[in-house]
Amino acid sequence: MKEVRIYTDGACSGNQNDNNIGGWGAILEYGQYSKELHGGEVNTTNNRMELMALIEALSALKEKGLSIKIYADSSYLINCFKEKWYVKWQMNGWKTSSKAAVENKELWQKLIELMEDQEIQFYLVKGHVKESTLKSAYMKYIDHNGMISLEDFQYISAKNNRADELANVFIKENA
């Protein structure tokens, strides 16, 4: 089975304000090949941009039946799939446990559709890791996702930092 790694991030300058700019970034890796994607929208939210990063990355794939590893710093995104929130939402007519409408329903539905016929694993990564925070971020990664080498973690962190840079391209271009 072919393995693809996807690193994503979303950003929003002025999140929660009526007028803001959001951006998303994603990196897809397959073997020695790598592809960077970015985009954004105005008057959005950080959570929407986190979801759009993964939607755009999965939409760029041309094949089904892939083994996909997704690395993101969004607990909103990762926990939804790891803890199967979306299954409960679907069973409850897209309502949360408190009976509120699920935010970003159309994006969650699109993600679920794009994930069909793919084997996907999700990994929560601390965002914006610097050399000074590397060891504590590494320990958090292990606690949440399981053991990997420090070298592999450094690589993943560098890619997630790059996805963050990509998420800010649209924001900088449209500020």
Side-chain angles (χ1 to χ4, degrees):
M1 181 176 282
K2 294 178 182 176
E3 182 179 292
V4 175
R5 288 179 167 210
I6 298 175
Y7 309 88
T8 66
D9 201 10
C12 189
S13 177
N15 196 37
Q16 305 301 322
N17 295 329
D18 288 338
N19 295 308
N20 61 49
I21 302 172
W24 57 264
I27 303 168
L28 292 86
E29 289 184 333
Y30 170 67
Q32 67 192 36
Y33 302 102
S34 181
K35 182 175 187 171
E36 293 185 348
L37 307 170
H38 63 85
E41 56 190 51
V42 296
N43 302 328
T44 189
T45 65
N46 188 67
N47 283 343
R48 282 186 66 82
M49 294 297 91
E50 296 284 1
L51 297 176
M52 285 303 301
L54 184 53
I55 287 170
E56 294 297 334
L58 291 172
S59 294
L61 298 175
K62 306 291 187 224
E63 294 181 36
K64 294 288 188 182
L66 300 170
S67 173
I68 304 171
K69 293 183 177 184
I70 297 168
Y71 301 88
D73 66 2
S74 171
S75 296
Y76 178 65
L77 171 66
I78 299 298
N79 290 341
C80 175
F81 291 105
K82 282 187 114 171
E83 297 176 18
K84 308 240 185 271
W85 297 348
Y86 69 98
V87 172
K88 294 173 189 161
W89 293 341
Q90 289 172 318
M91 289 174 23
N92 294 332
W94 286 95
K95 302 276 186 210
T96 65
S97 58
S98 62
K99 307 295 182 220
V102 171
E103 291 184 30
N104 302 309
K105 171 185 166 184
E106 74 284 359
L107 299 181
W108 289 116
Q109 289 173 321
K110 181 66 175 173
L111 271 175
I112 292 164
E113 175 187 323
L114 288 167
M115 290 170 37
E116 289 177 4
D117 302 320
Q118 306 286 23
E119 179 185 296
I120 298 181
Q121 294 175 301
F122 291 90
Y123 300 91
L124 184 61
V125 180
K126 170 114 178 64
H128 317 284
V129 173
K130 299 176 179 126
E131 192 62 37
S132 61
T133 61
L134 183 67
K135 293 216 172 167
S136 65
Y138 175 56
M139 296 311 293
K140 286 181 183 177
Y141 181 92
I142 290 170
D143 286 344
H144 200 273
N145 302 295
M147 188 65 186
I148 64 169
S149 72
L150 179 58
E151 182 179 313
D152 286 345
F153 176 74
Q154 288 173 305
Y155 181 84
I156 291 165
S157 292
K159 288 297 180 178
N160 269 77
N161 286 343
R162 177 63 184 148
D164 175 63
E165 292 170 3
L166 291 169
N168 283 288
V169 169
F170 184 87
I171 294 170
K172 289 175 184 171
E173 292 175 348
N174 293 279

